[in-house]
Structures are given as C-alpha cells and as structure tokens.
Amino acid sequence: RSVGLVGQSGGGKSTLARSVLALDKPTSGRISFDGMETSALDDHDAQMALARREMQVVFQDPYGSFNPRQTVERLVAEPLHLEEKPLSRTERRERIAFALEEVGMPADAMRRYPHEFSGGQRQRLAIARAIITRPKLVVCDEPVSALYVSIRAQILDLFAKLNDELGLAYLFITHDLTVARAITHAVGHDGHGLAAMPAKDYSALGKKDVADIVAYVRTVPPVTRETAPVRLGPVLRVMTA
C-alpha cells in the first residue's frame, strides 16, 4: 500500500520522512515500524539496525545522493552492510547485478560512475540501491520532480512495477498531485494534522486545482491519538500529538 504526502514547501513533509527513517526524533508523538517504536530507539540499539534494514529512501536529486568518486557497484551496495550475515564478494556482485536488472539497467553499469548516466538512469540506480535489501518500506522524497515529463512517467511505471512485484510500501512525498494520484492508494496533506484521502476520492478531484484539493483534504478529520493512525500496509504507524 502506498501513501502520498502533499503540501507546500516548508510544511514539514521531508521532516516527517526523516523521522520515519529514524534520522530525526519527533518532538512529540511516536512512530512505530514493524512492531518497533523506532522513535524511542537510539542509533546503537540492535532493533534500530533491524528497522533500518527494512526501510530505504529515494531522494529528489539522484546525482546529489551519490558520491561521484565511487562506482555504481559500490554505491548500489551501500545498504548491504546492514545485512545480518556478511556477503562474499561474489554474492555482493550477484545482488548488485540483480538489483540493476530489476530497475532496467545492465549489469555492466556497476563498473561506471554516476556522471556517465542521464538523470533518469541515475534515479534508476538510486531505486536499485533502495531495493537491494528487500525493504518493507521505501520513503520517496520528491523522486521524480527533477526529471523530464517523459522520463518521469517511466520512473513512475517502475515504482508501480516494483510495488506489485516486491510488495513494497511507499511513503511518496510530492508537490505534484498528478504524481500522487498515479502512484499512491491514499493521499495525506501536511497542513491539517495528517489526513488520509482514499485514492477513489482523489481520482474524482483529478481536474481540480491545488487549492480545491487542499480544501477537500482539510474536511477530513486529522489523525490524533484518539483516532486511527496512518498506516502504510502492515508495517508503519504514525501517531501525531
């Protein structure tokens, strides 16, 4: 199940993403992931390492999220250090090649550097890095906003394909309501607590402008401790203060 989060710049969307990924601690409320209250764990907790293996992120700028001096092989393999059992070099290369194949990139790309690829190809590499550990949750922070329209459609198709094949849950942050409609099952707005709008209701508003849709979302009761938490599939619960 995928949930989209829309809202104006500075509204806290990326802050929520960082809190979900346990990179920042919330000032109030709590976040539970796969039965673990990650907002109460510290970086050295064994459960935190387990949680981070099950969640990954795709950033807005694919080039900015890579070290330009490292090869694709090393970049895509970054999350593998979270695996419980260390992998041999052969196993690592096999995992990398398979992840590249899943996102439509050739295995020989692992010997090249980020600057040798187009923006869309770099984002495919970023997605390969995100799925290589087979996470349960992928946080996507404006992952297609920097791409051309035609390439954007291809990357969205790839996200949908991986959602079907791997059973991933997405927290999809975007300013583009068309993107949210295409890739998510429900949409939340960050200006009124965190409200969920079912995809079927959102589809009915597809031709309305941003102001109309935001006004609609604000009619949905916000999530509070007294109401049901937002859920992304079976794994993530966000409770607001």
Side-chain angles (χ1 to χ4, degrees), residues 4-215:
L5 182 62
V6 299
Q8 62 185 359
S9 296
K13 302 185 302 300
S14 294
T15 299
L16 174 60
R18 290 182 59 84
S19 297
V20 167
L21 292 165
L23 298 176
D24 291 335
K25 287 189 177 295
T27 54
S28 62
R30 64 182 184 274
I31 298 174
S32 297
F33 176 80
D34 205 15
M36 296 174 284
E37 190 175 330
T38 54
S39 53
L41 302 176
D42 59 44
D43 290 339
H44 304 293
D45 196 297
Q47 282 190 307
M48 180 65 82
L50 177 61
R52 283 183 170 157
R53 187 165 65 244
E54 300 289 358
M55 62 174 83
Q56 291 296 328
V57 61
V58 178
F59 295 103
Q60 176 179 1
D61 180 7
Y63 191 66
S65 67
F66 291 141
N67 184 335
R69 297 188 177 185
Q70 294 182 351
T71 63
V72 167
E73 177 179 0
R74 186 168 181 181
L75 294 169
V76 173
E78 281 180 354
L80 292 178
H81 77 277
L82 296 169
E83 295 285 3
E84 291 183 288
K85 180 182 177 182
L87 302 177
S88 67
R89 180 173 176 80
T90 300
E91 290 173 327
R92 286 170 60 89
R93 289 181 66 86
E94 288 176 351
R95 291 277 292 273
I96 296 166
F98 188 63
L100 291 173
E101 180 183 349
E102 287 183 305
V103 300
M105 296 293 290
D108 61 6
M110 69 175 71
R111 296 192 294 271
R112 298 162 64 186
Y113 290 85
H115 72 269
E116 300 180 58
F117 298 93
S118 67
Q121 289 174 324
R122 290 174 193 150
Q123 199 60 291
R124 288 177 184 271
L125 297 175
I127 296 170
R129 177 175 61 183
I131 66 172
I132 196 169
T133 59
R134 289 297 185 267
K136 295 179 179 178
L137 171 69
V138 177
V139 176
C140 305
D141 192 357
E142 298 273 9
V144 296
S145 63
L147 304 176
Y148 289 113
V149 174
S150 59
I151 303 301
R152 185 182 307 176
Q154 295 175 17
I155 298 300
L156 290 175
D157 285 343
L158 176 60
F159 275 118
K161 169 179 170 287
L162 295 173
N163 178 252
D164 291 337
E165 294 180 354
L166 304 181
L168 300 173
Y170 294 135
L171 175 58
F172 211 93
I173 298 171
T174 179
H175 287 91
D176 190 332
L177 291 161
T178 303
V179 169
R181 175 182 177 183
I183 199 66
T184 63
H185 301 97
V187 178
H189 178 254
D190 65 357
H192 185 58
L194 183 61
M197 177 162 56
K200 61 181 181 180
D201 294 337
Y202 180 59
S203 297
L205 296 175
K207 293 184 179 180
K208 290 183 175 290
D209 61 23
V210 173
D212 287 342
I213 293 176
V214 168

Side-chain angles (χ1 to χ4, degrees), residues 216-239:
Y216 174 84
V217 173
R218 284 177 174 169
T219 68
V220 181
V223 176
T224 68
R225 292 184 184 276
E226 288 72 36
T227 60
V230 172
R231 295 175 181 270
L232 284 80
V235 295
L236 178 69
R237 292 161 57 91
V238 179
M239 301 292 290

